Amino acid sequence: MPNSSQKNLTQIGVFYDGNYFHHVSNYYTYIHERRSRISISGLHNFIRQRVAEEENTDIRLTQIVDSHYFRGRITAKEASQKENQLYYDRLFDDILMSEGVTTHYLPVKAVPGGYKQEKGIDVWLALEAFELAIYKKYSVVVLVASDGDYVPLVRKLNTLGIRVMILSWDFEYTDDYGTPRTTRTAQDLLEEVSYPQAMHEIIDNRLKRNDSLINNLFVPRTTEKVFTKSFNYSTTPLSQSVTGEDSDIPVTDLTDKDKRYVSTILSLKNGFGFIRCNPKNIFFHYTGLQEYDFNDLELDDTVEFSVAVNEEGQTIATDIHVITSNATTSSTEETLLD
């Protein structure tokens, strides 16, 4: 291993499995107590520090010389039908660009059943990482990924004498279908890399709660809150709003997918909650909320929503817009900007 007396630059190449990173960032934004997105700049500073420690080199001579982000992307037409999806995609691209991250996108493919799925991202990432490692001669390759499919890439990099660090997160969450899920990094992948970093343990280590390196992994949330209503609610709601302890909730039929309903927030938990309905309250997930930050929702906020049926045949609320809030609330943009 190089030591601090050597003047050779320790060159780092960082490769993101974008869907995985997005999933992890959402976890910290909506479920973890941090309630904030992961900062790209903060993550890169963390990577430089940990590589310098592992390689026993001066951090000034430990630099990220290349970083690449791979993810599937829906079409512009589909994005335009999802409120400000195009805007937020561009906003995140700007963040990546400002940190020198090169983006690589493949179209999301439809699979039997009408669902959308990423295809070929892991193969593309592996091929690009291996080719660039040969030509650019990285000292260390950092993977932000969890899939065991990357094991062959790690083994190939090892044959080139390149050490591999992996940033891994293990956590539990509830998906947008209301189903409990667990994310775990493949054990065989952890065993193959030189420098495994259990990020969930590092972040939750109480001894490092005030460590600036750890705190800077997250985008600070602003305390200023501004509620803006950009959706047109001039149409007559199909149910009356209810707040507080109102006893009767007139929403009785949630079978029409073409109708819009109005009610209030009953409960909020880790990235999901329930809207008051009769005879059964309806589940919603943060992904169903439009132009509003889930973390800014309050109990009894009035919302307008549509209904859909998930993969398990359950009726859920979707395309949710906040009409009135019990507190002034912040713009979604604050959680995206570094």
Side-chain angles (χ1 to χ4, degrees):
M1 294 292 179
N3 58 56
S4 58
S5 65
Q6 293 176 302
K7 297 300 181 182
N8 292 333
L9 192 69
T10 299
Q11 298 177 301
I12 306 170
V14 182
F15 294 85
Y16 291 86
D17 181 325
N19 187 54
Y20 174 67
F21 176 76
H22 181 73
H23 184 53
V24 170
S25 188
N26 279 343
Y27 166 75
Y28 282 100
T29 304
Y30 302 114
I31 300 171
H32 192 271
E33 62 182 10
R34 292 270 180 174
R35 292 295 192 272
S36 184
R37 289 201 176 275
I38 295 177
S39 164
I40 299 295
S41 61
L43 189 62
H44 284 191
N45 286 334
F46 174 87
I47 288 170
R48 289 181 59 225
Q49 181 68 46
R50 295 311 288 252
V51 169
E53 293 173 1
E54 296 286 3
E55 295 276 293
N56 190 27
T57 58
D58 189 330
I59 191 170
R60 293 170 298 178
L61 299 176
T62 306
Q63 297 293 334
I64 295 174
V65 298
D66 228 0
S67 52
H68 296 263
Y69 181 91
F70 296 79
R71 193 181 180 197
R73 173 174 276 185
I74 60 177
T75 65
K77 181 178 180 180
E78 291 171 317
S80 68
Q81 296 170 349
K82 296 186 176 183
E83 298 296 335
N84 286 331
Q85 187 64 50
L86 285 173
Y87 169 76
Y88 291 126
D89 283 349
R90 176 61 183 271
L91 187 63
F92 187 59
D93 279 349
D94 287 349
I95 293 171
L96 294 174
M97 188 187 311
S98 69
E99 296 302 323
V101 181
T102 303
T103 56
H104 307 260
Y105 295 110
L106 280 178
V108 173
K109 301 289 187 181
V111 297
Y115 304 110
K116 301 291 186 179
Q117 192 176 87
E118 290 189 340
K119 289 288 187 180
I121 291 294
D122 52 351
V123 175
W124 191 14
L125 187 157
L127 290 173
E128 288 287 331
F130 185 64
E131 182 179 41
L132 289 170
I134 292 174
Y135 288 106
K136 298 196 174 184
K137 302 185 184 303
Y138 303 131
S139 308
V140 177
V141 164
V142 177
L143 295 178
V144 182
S146 65
D147 200 322
D149 289 346
Y150 293 114
V151 167
L153 167 63
V154 175
R155 290 173 177 169
K156 285 291 186 180
L157 292 172
N158 288 338
T159 65
L160 299 176
I162 297 172
R163 279 79 66 196
V164 179
M165 174 179 287
I166 189 161
L167 307 187
S168 67
W169 281 270
D170 292 351
F171 55 86
E172 296 178 352
Y173 65 101
T174 298
D175 68 12
D176 50 351
Y177 299 112
T179 304
R181 301 285 188 187
T182 301
T183 291
R184 294 285 184 270
T185 302
Q187 187 61 37
D188 52 350
L189 182 61
L190 293 171
E191 292 172 355
E192 291 288 341
V193 302
S194 306
Y195 307 134
Q197 303 292 310
M199 297 300 293
H200 53 287
E201 295 179 359
I202 294 170
I203 290 170
D204 291 339
N205 186 336
R206 293 188 176 276
L207 297 178
K208 296 185 177 181
R209 181 173 294 275
N210 297 318
D211 189 325
S212 61
L213 187 68
I214 304 304
N215 288 333
N216 288 339
L217 285 171
F218 299 94
V219 179
R221 285 182 58 84
T222 178
T223 56
E224 179 182 2
K225 297 191 175 185
V226 180
F227 176 66
T228 58
K229 183 169 64 177
S230 60
F231 192 75
N232 181 8
Y233 295 101
S234 59
T235 57
T236 303
L238 298 174
S239 66
Q240 298 176 1
S241 303
V242 294
T243 57
E245 299 179 355
D246 288 353
S247 58
D248 295 324
I249 304 171
V251 177
T252 57
D253 182 8
L254 293 176
T255 60
D256 192 337
K257 297 180 182 178
D258 296 325
K259 289 184 179 180
R260 300 286 291 172
Y261 300 90
V262 174
S263 191
T264 56
I265 300 295
L266 171 67
S267 63
L268 296 167
K269 204 173 180 182
N270 296 332
F272 67 94
F274 286 88
I275 298 171
R276 287 184 174 90
C277 290
N278 185 15
K280 185 177 181 181
N281 299 313
I282 189 168
F283 172 88
F284 75 98
H285 192 258
Y286 69 80
T287 53
L289 195 63
Q290 304 296 332
E291 297 186 331
Y292 207 82
D293 190 335
F294 179 89
N295 293 321
D296 290 330
L297 280 177
E298 301 279 350
L299 298 182
D300 296 326
D301 281 353
T302 304
V303 294
E304 183 177 86
F305 60 96
S306 298
V307 296
V309 177
N310 66 16
E311 291 178 345
E312 298 183 355
Q314 300 168 326
T315 300
I316 62 172
T318 187
D319 192 19
I320 305 163
H321 292 262
V322 177
I323 301 178
T324 58
S325 173
N326 287 331
T328 54
T329 52
S330 65
S331 167
T332 311
E333 295 169 26
E334 69 189 45
T335 61
L336 291 174
L337 291 171
D338 279 336

